[in-house]
Amino acid sequence: MGKRDYAMLRLLWDNALRRAEVCGLDRLDFRPGESRLMLKGKGRIDKEPIDLAPATVEAISDWFASMGESKSPALFVSSRDTRISVDRLYQIVGGLAEMAGIDRVVSPHKIRHSSITALLDLNGGDVRSAQAHSRHKNLSTLIRYDDGRQQLQGKAAKTLADAIVEREVD
């Protein structure tokens, strides 16, 4: 199950997948030769391809090879060969964080949020790239990530507070 958990974490981080997207994946959705995954995203009717990093392809391939015979079409299954539920993924992520000594709540969505924020840090705040990566329909959602990353609200508040202090001194 360690290989399964690692593969799920790679998808949460590398591709900023939502937990329902991870849990909804089928084995046939994985296209290792193309380094792609067919994904039915939030609010989508059809599955669309997303590109995978080589490390993610390797992690999923390792899990896939270790699965053995499975009757479930699901890519990620429990020890009882049933599809991993979104609640179980939440528990797995929290348990792994606890085992790693992380003393705050870690969830699949927090990993997604951190992934998007890290991408914005690494790409100089390119929200269009982050929008394509995260598959957010609305650009304003990404703007909130970027604002939070840059702490724009706090900087604006300090600027305004400093302006009042300067005028009081004058």
Side-chain angles (χ1 to χ4, degrees), residues 1 7 9-11 29 34-35 50 54 58 60 69 72 78 84-85 89 93 113 115 118 122 135 137 143 150 164:
M1 294 301 151
L9 288 172
R10 295 288 330 195
L11 286 169
D29 294 333
E34 302 170 24
S35 295
I50 62 166
E58 183 179 344
I60 297 170
E69 245 349 91
S72 174
S78 69
I84 291 286
S85 70
L89 177 57
V93 168
H113 189 280
S115 170
L122 293 168
R135 298 158 330 279
K137 288 181 185 175
I143 299 294
Q150 296 184 56
I164 291 173

Side-chain angles (χ1 to χ4, degrees), residues 18-164:
R18 297 170 178 93
R19 67 182 179 166
E21 292 170 338
V22 171
C23 295
L25 291 169
D26 289 330
R27 288 180 285 158
L28 294 176
D29 294 333
F30 180 48
R31 311 268 171 87
E34 302 170 24
S35 295
R36 287 198 161 170
L37 193 64
M38 297 304 293
L39 181 72
K40 184 175 181 183
K42 181 180 178 182
R44 309 277 187 202
I45 294 170
D46 297 319
K47 291 184 178 185
E48 300 171 351
I50 62 166
D51 295 321
L52 300 173
T56 310
V57 171
E58 183 179 344
I60 297 170
S61 294
D62 285 350
W63 159 242
F64 202 74
S66 71
M67 279 179 76
E69 245 349 91
S70 175
K71 292 185 175 140
S72 174
L75 179 57
F76 297 113
V77 295
S78 69
S79 58
R80 295 181 306 240
D81 200 34
T82 59
R83 184 179 298 275
I84 291 286
S85 70
V86 292
D87 291 337
R88 182 67 185 126
L89 177 57
Y90 186 93
Q91 292 169 348
I92 290 167
V93 168
L96 291 171
E98 188 177 319
M99 285 178 11
I102 299 170
D103 61 352
R104 57 192 169 125
V105 175
V106 178
S107 68
H109 189 75
K110 286 188 180 187
I111 294 172
R112 174 179 163 77
H113 189 280
S114 295
S115 170
I116 296 165
T117 302
L119 178 61
L120 287 166
D121 283 340
L122 293 168
N123 74 11
D126 181 354
V127 292
R128 293 280 185 192
S129 171
Q131 181 183 23
H133 176 69
S134 64
R135 298 158 330 279
H136 278 107
K137 288 181 185 175
N138 192 337
L139 186 59
S140 66
T141 304
L142 266 293
I143 299 294
R144 285 197 320 257
Y145 280 80
D146 196 42
D147 288 352
R149 174 184 73 89
Q150 296 184 56
Q151 299 178 337
L152 295 177
Q153 184 275 323
K155 289 176 184 175
K158 183 180 180 326
T159 299
L160 290 169
D162 290 349
I164 291 173

